[in-house]
Amino acid sequence: MAIEIFMPALSPTMEEGTLATWLVKEGDTVTSGDIIAEIETDKATMEVESIDDGTVVKILVDAGTDGVPVGQIIAILAEEGEDIADVSVPASSPAPAKAPEPAPEPSATEPENTEARAKIAQSDTPDTMLSLLTALKAVQSDESDDGGRVKASPLAKRIAANEGIDIASVAGSGPHGRIVKRDVEAALKGGTATQAAAAAPAAQTAPAPAPVSTSAVAYPPHDDIPFREERLSNMRKTIAKRLTESKTTVPHFYLTIECELDKLLAQRKELNNKLADSGVKISVNDFIVRATALALKKVPAANVQYAVDKMYWYERVDISMAVAIDGGLVTPVVRGADLMGLADIAKTTKELATKARDGKLMPEDYAGGTFSISNLGMMGIKEFSAVINPPQGAILAIGAGEQRPVVKDGALAVATMMNCTISCDHRAVDGAVGAEFLAAFKGYIEDPITMLL
């Protein structure tokens, strides 16, 4: 009996993926455990193993295909000893799910105008009448012979209007047939442009633009600037979707605190000298992960997530650590960071960062997390505010450590200072809780010996 190979769910949130590469071809014999394909998810490119022995009869989804839904049949195997000729192959594989296309602009037909006028007549308030009049004007301004809109740059439209030519009679040479300045000028020189009707109302020569939604609008490139077009990876699509959702639906607020690093730097140097023979090297970021975990244990009200009609209070601290990679960033998780010492944290963070940059993260490496850290200090960024990684309740943004003038015991001195900003979901974390967390974090950073207790 034929064996169907389906698009696997390689992460808890995966709905579709890109079939990046086939490592087998039709007619190849495979055994259980053989790597047969590479699938690109929203987090990494992962290998897919065959779970059965057999011969590849048919590959139904070509390499490089985007948007293949989880559960779709991607290939057919014949069982060992089965005659390939007897294997029934589906006529076609279901097409990958496509992103919904934007709704077409309504054509300016008389029934729509009549409906709009009727609504205006029934309106009770000036505001309602004004909004409906605006909508009617937008409908009327979109009228054209074919029910569509002439694609032309604003500059090209202005030149055509000034010269009295019909912009629709000009052939466009821009992207997707768009009419640009050089097209209008060429039409003027060649005498190929049609004069616009003199009797047309002035309002028709410069129609008011219709309201445009600000969500996911694809603006055409500038006429005179060279550009290249690049399709978004699954990772970049997911980042765009999740962070747009976060900034538009999560009420962020921000708190910033300064931490002195001099004792921590001295402690780090001493510990690394003692660990020189072990191959372990503790970074400032490892101290930050440890201090964050201990501060969350001390202030458990910051280690929470909002869930509409309830709150999740986590009794273990799993730190999501933002790691920049080619094409985006991922957040591998240091699980049980509150139960780990500095040496263990150093080993874990190094291993996770290496796997992230090599594209080898497994779902269990990045799924979950109760709190996030984003550290741009090593890139020289003094201070920034990070976007919360939903459904988590907060994220801590770490700036660069730098020497600054400070006042100690009434005298001016120089100290290494670091700005840290927490972004909180106000539905889950109140201002007082955020401030209490930062105070606990500052205490551990400025007196690092307490992290070792």
Side-chain angles (χ1 to χ4, degrees), residues 105 108 133-144 148-154 156-162 165-168 196 200-212:
E105 296 181 5
L133 282 168
T134 303
L136 176 59
K137 184 177 180 181
V139 169
Q140 292 173 334
S141 69
D142 281 342
E143 289 183 357
S144 64
R149 179 182 296 178
V150 177
K151 295 180 180 179
S153 70
K157 289 180 179 178
R158 187 163 63 251
I159 294 173
N162 291 339
I165 26 180
D166 182 5
I167 190 71
Q204 294 288 345
T205 62
V212 178

Side-chain angles (χ1 to χ4, degrees), residues 4-23:
E4 297 176 336
I5 300 177
F6 299 93
M7 184 68 170
L10 299 176
S11 73
T13 59
M14 180 177 171
E15 297 178 357
E16 60 181 32
T18 297
L19 209 162
T21 309
W22 279 108
L23 302 179

Side-chain angles (χ1 to χ4, degrees), residues 23 161 183 304 332 446:
L23 302 179
D183 300 324
V304 297
E446 295 191 343

Side-chain angles (χ1 to χ4, degrees), residues 98-104:
K98 294 183 178 179
E101 297 182 0

Side-chain angles (χ1 to χ4, degrees), residues 374-390:
S374 180
N375 188 348
L376 293 179
M378 65 279 291
M379 298 181 182
I381 302 302
K382 180 178 180 180
E383 181 181 328
F384 69 105
S385 300
V387 181
I388 294 171
N389 182 22

Side-chain angles (χ1 to χ4, degrees), residues 22-40:
W22 279 108
L23 302 179
V24 295
K25 59 183 182 297
E26 293 178 3
D28 285 355
T29 300
V30 297
T31 58
S32 178
D34 286 351
I35 306 298
I36 60 173
E38 292 181 345
I39 305 294
E40 181 187 328

